[in-house]
Amino acid sequence: MKYKNNRLTIDGINVDFLANKFSTPIYCYSFKKLKENILNFKKNFKKINPLICFAVKSNSNIKILKEISKFNFGADVVSGGELMMALKAGIKPKKIVFSGVGKTSSEIEFAIDKDILLINAESKSEILEIERIARSKKRTVSIGIRLNPNTDAKTINQISTGKKENKFGVDEKTFLRLVDYIKNSRNLNLKCLSVHIGSQILDHKPYEKMLKVVSKTIQKSQYKFEYIDLGGGMGIDYMHNNKKLNLKKYSQSIKKILNKNYSKIIFEPGRSIIGNTAILITKILYIKEGFKKDFIILDAGMNDLIRPALYNAKHKILASKNKKEISKKTYEFVGPICESTDKFSTIKKFQKLKEKDFVVICDVGAYGTSLSSNYNVRPKAIELMIKSSKIQIINKRQKLSELM
Ligand SMILES: *Cc1c(COP(=O)(O)O)cnc(C)c1O
């Protein structure tokens, strides 16, 4: 994104032009950025040669999945619906892993029928259920067990998943017992140890700690895992102040444990691939003057982007026209929804705005549309992608008639 003649552009296309042509709110993706992220991710982990399974829950738009699959990515899915979407996008079953604490029997059956790479199980009961279904189908099913490494990801509490108080995975003791159980099962083939400690991680230290636990657990198990699935969680620079996870360092730490284990590494990145590829273009409906702050009332709300309301997440906001004049009052950017948490950001010293101006909420590619809803019977926004200077509609704006 760049200002050209004080007009905000995305891959050379004027934001105001898009807003006027397609009406707002709009999710607009940059293919160029997506490609750059993918190649960058691959480059940083080149020495490990991992299988990269895109976390579909971060963005499940089928056009985007199709683009990602062209780069030889697999998929990490967490529901039967996501599995179906990934397959429909052309992702090979042998590159799909299925995670999640509550897979239903029919979802497990579907995954077995499609012969996916791995079902990563998260409890003893789930393992018994997979075994029961496999037996009834006279099949041997490849599975992983998700270890809860009891490691603090040092991220937003709501998106931490690797501490012992979280519902995810099993503790080391249970893990070792389960390894012994599965070794003697005819219908289960244990291939993978999986972990995922949380999301939006910017410091490599939690990963180091996690790797130590993984390494120790593998040694104790005396089992040869074909795969080690390290999950995703790599953070992005939402505040645009160059705080980045050092992927190279992470890669080196992984290399060390690999020297002992000879396993193939799987990653499940979501946010780090798609997060900074999209903006949400929205119009200022009204400016309501308050005592100390002015409410900038936008036509995008928490139904379009729930991260600020759900996790207190921060996103940069930019005006589509760059002006020098600064507002004397603090701006609070809010949506139109009947909830006090329908609020994107409170910013001091923002440039002066006026009604009908367009603003852009940045870095909304991950957990934006995939977490959007029809709350307040609001249709979902249109999704565009800029690819080779062309504007593609990758999802039509929902019609109210579809919601009736
Ligand atoms: C959510 C999730 C991911 C992706 O996390 P990101 O922070 O988007 O990279 C990967 N693996 C599992 C099991 C998840 O639940």
Side-chain angles (χ1 to χ4, degrees), residues 55 57-58 76 99 146 196 199-200 232-234 268-271 367:
K57 78 173 192 284
S58 66
D76 165 48
S99 314
R146 178 157 171 186
H196 171 72
S199 204
Q200 187 50 18
M234 298 81 172
E268 303 167 346
R271 190 190 311 274
Y367 309 102

Side-chain angles (χ1 to χ4, degrees), residues 40 82 128 206 273 293 369:
N40 188 43
E82 283 191 1
L128 295 179
I273 300 299
K293 59 186 177 192
T369 54

Side-chain angles (χ1 to χ4, degrees), residues 189-204:
N189 185 0
L190 178 61
K191 286 193 173 171
C192 179
L193 176 152
S194 85
V195 279
H196 171 72
I197 56 173
S199 204
Q200 187 50 18
I201 298 168
L202 289 168
D203 180 3
H204 76 281

Side-chain angles (χ1 to χ4, degrees), residues 10 24 52 56-57 67 120 201 272 285 297 322 396 398:
I10 172 164
T24 50
I52 309 170
V56 174
K57 78 173 192 284
E67 294 291 0
N120 283 335
I201 298 168
S272 52
L285 296 174
I297 302 170
N322 192 18
K396 286 195 211 117
Q398 260 182 343

Side-chain angles (χ1 to χ4, degrees), residues 11 44 61 72 85 91 93 112 122 131-132 159 178 192 199 209 246 253 269 288 302 337-338 357 389 392:
D11 288 351
N44 276 296
N61 183 303
N72 267 326
M85 193 75 89
I91 297 173
I112 292 175
E122 304 217 12
E131 187 181 38
R132 184 189 67 78
I159 53 178
L178 288 172
C192 179
S199 204
K209 276 192 195 154
N246 190 333
S253 314
K288 181 152 118 177
M302 67 192 280
I337 306 248
C338 302
D357 278 354
S389 302
Q392 299 178 351

